Amino acid sequence: MPNARTEAWYSASVPATVLAVQVAAGEFKDPFVGTNLRSIPGTSYPLGENFSNLDMPADSPYRCGWWYRKTFHVAASERGKTIWLRFGGINYRADIWLNGRKIADSDQVQGAYRTYEFDVTKAIKPSEENVLAVETFAPTPTDLGINWVDWNPCPPDKDMGLWGPVSLMTSGSVAVRSPMATTHFTDASLQTAELTIRAEVSNATDHPVEGRLEGTAAGIPISQLVRLAAGEEKTISFAPSDFPQLRIEHPRVWWPADQGAHPLQTLTLRFLLDGMVSDEQSRRFGIREVNSELTAKGYRLFRVNQRPILIRGAGWSQDMLLRQQPERLAEEFRMVHDMHLNTIRLEGKMETDEFFRLADEQGVLVIAGWCCCDHWEHWDKWTPDTLNVATASLQSQILRIRSHPSLIAWLNGSDNPPPANVETAYLKVLEQMHWPNAIVSSASATPTSVSGQSGVKMTGPYDFVAPSYWLVDTKYGGAYGFNTETSPGPAIPSPESLKKMLPPDHHWPQDAVWGYHAGGEGFQDIHVFNDAMSATYGEAKTAARYNQVAQSMAFDGERAMFEAYGRNKYNSTGVIQWMLNNAWPSSIWHLYDYYLDAAGGYYGTKKACELLHVQYSYDDHSVYVVNSLYKATPGLTAVAHVYDINLKELFSKSTALDVGPDSSIKAFDIPQAVFQAPSTVYFVQLELKNAKDTVESRNFYWVPAKLTEFDWAKTTYTHTPTKTSEDMTALQSLAPSRVTATARSSGTMVHLHVSNPSKALAFQVAAELDDAQGGKLTRITWSDNYIELMPGEERDLTAQLPSDLLSGVDLKGKSGLKVKIEGWNVEPVTINSQVTPEKPESPL
């Protein structure tokens, strides 16, 4: 295609899928709004079904190949070098042409998660115009493609195209690739770290070569002589037994988020031929060690730097069109850290280099692995070629991610473990690629004949269950063992987000358009959640009331799940909330919505995952203090007050206690008799104070007189239904309360002071920041939210503003930021945020 006419072609910025290019060009209405996606040609597949397992409709414009084309120049100074053309991700097949010469065809290039590197030295024309043309083909139902399961719809192009970066690289005749450093600590003191360095080297010539691989690891020089046969690729290792300088005393250790610093070291390796640098590669790494083991009960327990860690994480989703948005990604990582989650799970979504960079820098652990529910797990239909693509995909991804300190585990399967031949092939690749972390056969509890017990479970629930579920259940998804994906169900977006994702005539009542933005397969609506709301709290007759109750249910549900796993550590060893985020605007499975708006579920999670936390137990009325830090905290005082629905105090207790590192300790029990008073709802108010009488943690619960009675015999993979629901309807009739507030802005912070001057409880008080037009600002995270204020109580809250918001907002006067405060029984209040000048720097 050197002389192709491209005037009518789309302009594309790669990486970009075909549909992403079309959407960017304005070809279609925003596919994320309403049912616009269904109007795009090729989207006639049945609603709610897994499109990955279906053929493209006969009328789909994506049944054929789509071309990408680029012209570029290579400097004359590159003549004589080896030139490599690299593709970071092609979905699914491709024919690749360079200057009219076919570099590779679709028999060679197949596999969404493979990376490709071609020696194009003979095809490149230095100092002339070069033309690269790539014809891409979408995956079929029998391909190992990029899939979407029941989380959201699949785009009609099945994300075909160049979804990874395309780059041109040069080297001498020997190339260096995928350098890595692994760590072993000689003992629990972590005072001596032994590093092992590896890299892949390849000889691009037709004759043997001899040279030297040298470089530095964390500033330590290393070097060795290397001989390569013609065309040979080899792994070169530097072991501490042969290179004693790689035994480091008093190393700077990389720790997970909230457990310490995350210092990154640099590894640089270069290959010298005749004293000249043929190629050089650098990677950052952390001095850290990851292990996993099965406890006495068979539960998988992770250790980082020989310390056990309770995994508290959530499942990740990319944008549905695989668009790369670095600023958005940075915000999402900030929100993960703000919630004190320590882990992200990737199910078949191999993220960008930028994702792993942020995870490394912020200490966020990552569990990666293949996906479920399509050809990735249709092993009975695999051919030898399928297995070849699968192992090549695994090799590509392991070489890409193995050097990152954030990675702690690889899952060879998701809903099911692979059969023996496939698992054996996977394990061979992981061994050959020197994967340094844990390997788990699948996300489920199904054992295999190759690796035995997985030590994890995937028992759900995924739909709504009452907060008590997590502590009273001992058979399914309750707080024991390691649950790789589970959830208290739907997460209703805020009214402001609903306005963005739904056409005006579909905001309320809920209809089929709402359902379209739920999930697929068994999650095509949210009736379980809605039925539970009506049975527990009473019917919500307006959109505003529905959303208010929904946020409180999400807050209560997420808090209960994470708290239960925290209380029971290390009988519980990990929990992954399904999910963290959404690929498109959705009413299910997120802790912040597609527009990065934090609502009830976000703040319930943030509350539960406090590093030093006081909490109530639904199953036995106990009060626990959970310390998630690796240091002891002495001199604490746990305080509890229990009230009936009318705020009559029924119980109070204060207990001094010391908490050990990484511990869960019972402070005291609240007697069962306290909850026998004639009240259908009780309030439990908790505080944890330090030795200086400063509140370290506060918590407030609304507790039913009788817990939900679950119908265990009717448990499905989605949830356990109820026989009788708890009765919280009295909350709908709380006495009116009011709040007063003042707010001031300083730099990127908003400081809010709220107080309750009334004689009634102010229940589930939520604050939001609005712009001058009254629209809610997203990406705002408060220090606390969805709080309760007792009569006469005052609280100070802060909100963090993304710095880029400041450039578009006049903070002064009536046109500046506004703070809106509302609650279940509180008349909404909106106030202006007054500007406080930032304190000037002190003179020298």
Side-chain angles (χ1 to χ4, degrees):
M1 300 174 59
N3 301 311
R5 298 185 62 88
T6 59
E7 293 86 352
W9 288 42
Y10 297 100
S11 176
S13 179
V14 172
T17 66
V18 171
L19 183 58
V21 171
Q22 293 178 294
V23 170
E27 182 81 5
F28 307 114
K29 292 182 179 179
D30 187 345
F32 284 26
V33 174
T35 57
N36 289 348
L37 182 64
R38 297 293 294 182
S39 300
I40 297 176
T43 321
S44 57
Y45 62 89
L47 280 170
E49 290 198 25
N50 187 344
F51 190 31
S52 304
N53 296 323
L54 303 175
D55 288 317
M56 291 277 192
D59 63 345
S60 173
Y62 309 106
R63 287 175 66 98
C64 63
W66 282 67
W67 286 89
Y68 291 73
R69 184 180 187 274
K70 181 177 179 61
T71 59
F72 61 95
H73 284 80
V74 174
S77 59
E78 301 301 302
R79 196 183 308 274
K81 297 181 181 179
T82 304
I83 301 178
W84 308 90
L85 178 62
R86 180 178 174 82
F87 291 87
I90 301 175
N91 191 25
Y92 180 78
R93 291 179 173 82
D95 291 329
I96 301 171
W97 300 77
L98 181 60
N99 294 328
R101 177 185 296 187
K102 180 174 279 190
I103 302 300
D105 61 27
S106 55
D107 288 333
Q108 301 164 271
V109 180
Q110 53 174 317
Y113 292 122
R114 293 175 68 181
T115 57
Y116 304 91
E117 198 169 290
F118 303 104
D119 182 348
V120 294
T121 308
K122 295 179 179 178
I124 283 286
K125 300 176 181 178
S127 74
E128 298 182 34
E129 182 178 78
N130 293 267
V131 179
L132 174 65
V134 183
E135 185 179 16
T136 62
F137 303 90
T140 72
T142 56
D143 287 329
L144 304 177
I146 297 172
N147 67 349
W148 304 99
V149 187
D150 47 16
W151 319 325
N152 50 267
C154 179
D157 69 339
K158 296 190 177 184
D159 285 317
M160 71 181 295
L162 302 179
W163 72 270
V166 180
S167 55
L168 206 63
M169 302 179 295
T170 62
S171 74
S173 55
V174 175
V176 179
R177 296 291 182 263
S178 306
M180 68 178 297
T182 58
T183 303
H184 171 64
F185 293 106
T186 58
D187 57 47
S189 72
L190 309 183
Q191 292 303 298
T192 303
E194 296 179 336
L195 299 186
T196 299
I197 310 302
R198 295 184 177 90
E200 314 303 312
V201 296
S202 59
N203 177 11
T205 72
D206 58 0
H207 56 80
V209 296
E210 181 178 292
R212 182 166 293 278
L213 185 64
E214 67 171 30
T216 57
I220 300 168
I222 50 176
S223 176
Q224 67 171 292
L225 190 66
V226 176
R227 295 181 177 86
L228 296 170
E232 183 181 11
E233 298 181 6
K234 182 188 292 187
T235 301
I236 306 300
S237 300
F238 297 83
S241 56
D242 300 319
F243 298 86
Q245 67 267 38
L246 292 175
R247 190 171 287 109
I248 304 174
E249 300 298 328
H250 311 295
R252 297 176 62 224
V253 179
W254 186 97
W255 289 99
D258 297 319
Q259 300 303 339
H262 337 293
L264 295 173
Q265 314 294 333
T266 300
L267 167 64
T268 299
L269 293 175
R270 66 189 68 87
F271 199 93
L272 301 181
L273 284 172
D274 299 325
M276 302 294 291
V277 176
S278 176
D279 197 16
E280 180 176 283
Q281 294 285 318
S282 292
R283 291 290 187 277
R284 295 196 303 173
F285 70 96
I287 298 177
R288 69 90 172 112
E289 184 177 24
V290 170
N291 305 101
S292 77
E293 64 197 53
L294 297 183
T295 68
K297 293 185 178 180
Y299 305 148
R300 185 163 296 277
L301 173 67
F302 283 90
R303 293 182 183 271
V304 179
N305 301 331
Q306 303 191 24
R307 270 65 163 177
I309 185 167
L310 176 66
I311 298 298
R312 291 193 286 200
W316 176 265
S317 182
Q318 295 164 292
D319 176 81
M320 191 172 71
L321 303 184
L322 306 187
R323 294 172 293 193
Q324 297 185 18
Q325 302 159 307
E327 296 82 5
R328 175 188 176 92
L329 185 65
E331 283 296 307
E332 294 193 70
F333 267 86
R334 183 184 66 81
M335 296 174 84
V336 168
H337 190 73
D338 184 60
M339 286 184 283
H340 296 294
L341 297 179
N342 57 28
T343 304
I344 291 174
R345 181 187 164 202
L346 308 177
E347 185 185 2
K349 298 291 179 283
M350 297 298 112
E351 264 298 337
T352 62
D353 292 342
E354 177 69 4
F355 175 97
F356 294 114
R357 180 186 71 81
L358 291 172
D360 293 345
E361 292 179 350
Q362 298 185 27
V364 178
L365 305 177
V366 179
I367 297 173
W370 297 133
C371 199
C372 75
C373 307
D374 74 341
H375 206 57
W376 279 105
E377 292 197 353
H378 295 168
W379 294 291
D380 59 332
K381 300 177 182 177
W382 280 24
T383 66
D385 187 52
T386 311
L387 183 58
N388 290 337
V389 172
T391 53
S393 302
L394 180 59
Q395 177 173 321
S396 290
Q397 292 305 318
I398 296 303
L399 284 174
R400 191 170 76 89
I401 67 177
R402 67 182 186 177
S403 63
H404 291 281
S406 53
L407 268 296
I408 64 168
W410 177 267
L411 274 59
N412 280 321
S414 180
D415 289 15
N416 302 281
N421 67 313
V422 176
E423 185 179 12
T424 299
Y426 283 168
L427 291 174
K428 182 179 180 180
V429 171
L430 289 161
E431 180 183 13
Q432 291 173 339
M433 298 301 105
H434 304 283
W435 176 248
N437 307 307
I439 303 170
V440 186
S441 58
S442 77
S444 74
T446 306
T448 79
S449 60
V450 176
S451 57
Q453 298 290 332
S454 68
V456 301
K457 65 179 182 179
M458 201 186 76
T459 50
Y462 299 90
D463 217 327
F464 180 80
V465 289
S468 59
Y469 171 90
W470 306 99
L471 286 174
V472 300
D473 171 61
T474 59
K475 187 178 179 181
Y476 301 105
Y480 67 92
F482 193 116
N483 203 336
T484 58
E485 49 183 73
T486 190
S487 172
I492 307 304
S494 68
E496 194 72 19
S497 292
L498 289 170
K499 291 177 184 177
K500 296 176 183 177
M501 61 190 268
L502 301 175
D505 55 341
H506 292 279
H507 291 172
W508 188 261
Q510 293 178 13
D511 57 14
V513 181
W514 272 73
Y516 189 51
H517 284 267
E521 299 180 0
F523 304 96
Q524 294 185 49
D525 59 48
I526 53 175
H527 77 274
V528 173
F529 180 84
N530 289 344
D531 291 347
M533 179 188 293
S534 296
T536 303
Y537 293 97
E539 183 181 0
K541 297 181 180 180
T542 66
R545 193 57 163 177
Y546 174 84
N547 203 282
Q548 199 168 50
V549 179
Q551 300 309 332
S552 296
M553 290 172 66
F555 178 100
D556 209 15
E558 297 291 356
R559 176 179 64 174
M561 181 183 75
F562 281 107
E563 283 187 340
Y565 275 84
R567 189 197 81 172
N568 289 353
K569 69 176 177 184
Y570 281 99
N571 184 53
S572 62
T573 56
V575 59
I576 300 294
Q577 147 71 18
W578 205 249
M579 302 177 71
L580 172 69
N581 56 355
N582 292 135
W584 85 323
S586 177
S587 59
I588 64 170
W589 298 341
H590 63 250
L591 295 179
Y592 50 82
D593 71 22
Y594 184 78
Y595 306 103
L596 307 189
D597 190 14
Y602 181 98
Y603 289 103
T605 300
K606 180 174 179 175
K607 175 69 67 177
C609 296
E610 289 176 327
L611 301 180
L612 191 59
H613 181 64
V614 63
Q615 63 186 62
Y616 165 81
S617 303
Y618 289 95
D619 58 340
D620 60 8
H621 306 302
S622 59
V623 174
Y624 270 73
V625 175
V626 178
N627 182 11
S628 297
L629 296 170
Y630 289 146
K631 63 180 181 180
T633 307
L636 297 175
T637 302
V639 182
H641 298 275
V642 181
Y643 305 90
D644 69 8
I645 191 69
N646 298 312
L647 293 191
K648 177 184 177 182
E649 186 172 86
L650 305 175
F651 173 83
S652 66
K653 186 166 184 175
S654 175
T655 297
L657 70 163
D658 301 327
V659 299
D662 192 24
S663 61
S664 174
I665 182 173
K666 181 192 286 190
F668 51 81
D669 291 311
I670 301 174
Q672 171 67 34
V674 172
F675 299 93
Q676 302 302 315
S679 182
T680 57
V681 178
Y682 300 86
F683 299 122
V684 178
Q685 184 183 42
L686 303 178
E687 286 185 336
L688 183 67
K689 299 180 180 181
N690 62 24
K692 296 181 179 180
D693 206 37
T694 302
V695 175
E696 293 278 358
S697 173
R698 49 166 51 93
N699 223 334
F700 191 99
Y701 298 81
W702 49 106
V703 179
K706 183 180 179 182
L707 296 178
T708 291
E709 183 182 3
F710 293 96
D711 195 348
W712 302 109
K714 294 183 180 179
T715 297
T716 66
Y717 83 98
T718 66
H719 73 294
T720 298
T722 62
K723 289 183 178 179
T724 58
S725 297
E726 55 197 45
D727 183 5
M728 297 287 195
T729 54
L731 295 173
Q732 298 279 21
S733 303
L734 289 172
S737 180
R738 67 187 182 93
V739 297
T740 59
T742 58
R744 60 183 177 86
S745 303
S746 177
T748 61
M749 299 294 292
V750 173
H751 302 266
L752 175 66
H753 180 81
V754 292
S755 60
N756 175 10
S758 75
K759 295 182 179 180
L761 172 72
F763 184 68
Q764 282 285 277
V765 176
E768 68 178 53
L769 281 179
D770 293 348
D771 59 23
Q773 290 72 43
K776 183 179 181 182
L777 296 174
T778 60
R779 300 185 291 138
I780 304 299
T781 52
W782 290 89
S783 57
D784 201 357
N785 215 346
Y786 296 88
I787 65 173
E788 282 70 35
L789 292 171
M790 294 292 285
E793 186 177 4
E794 301 182 8
R795 290 281 301 277
D796 289 305
L797 308 177
T798 57
Q800 178 70 49
L801 281 69
S803 57
D804 64 291
L805 276 181
L806 298 179
S807 61
V809 175
D810 177 9
L811 296 178
K812 298 182 179 180
K814 294 182 180 180
S815 64
L817 290 176
K818 300 179 184 297
V819 182
K820 181 179 178 181
I821 306 160
E822 57 186 353
W824 276 47
N825 60 333
V826 174
E827 191 70 25
V829 174
T830 300
I831 59 173
N832 290 323
S833 179
Q834 302 302 316
V835 177
T836 300
E838 292 188 79
K839 184 180 293 185
E841 295 184 8
S842 300
L844 295 177

